[in-house]
Amino acid sequence: MKNQQNMMKQMQKMQKQMEKAQEELKEKTVEATSGGGAVKVTAAGDKRIVDIEIDQDVVDPEDVEMLQDLILAAMNEALKKVDELTEQDLGKFTKGMNIPGM
């Protein structure tokens, strides 16, 4: 019985640590670029896009499709980096566990 109580305390402690890490993750940002830096996207750790910068030289009304591709590439790279950051920060809590969605 005492062993179960200790395990529950450890689980509660780990849950609090994980919640704190998730909150801290929201404050972290990653940047990704495409087109040699022509498009830069900044994403927060909770997968919010917080900034997009576009070099005016890449804005060509005759080739909007290229600009769209550059934006998509930078956004996808930023979200990939958020996933890597999440794994780095929260992976220590889920290592060895098979938890869906984590």
Side-chain angles (χ1 to χ4, degrees), residues 19-49:
E19 288 171 0
K20 182 180 179 199
Q22 287 172 324
E23 286 301 313
E24 291 172 352
L25 192 59
K26 289 180 185 178
E27 303 302 317
K28 294 181 179 182
T29 60
V30 296
E31 292 181 353
T33 62
S34 65
V39 174
K40 180 171 84 170
V41 172
T42 305
D46 59 354
K47 292 192 175 183
R48 286 178 299 117
I49 303 299

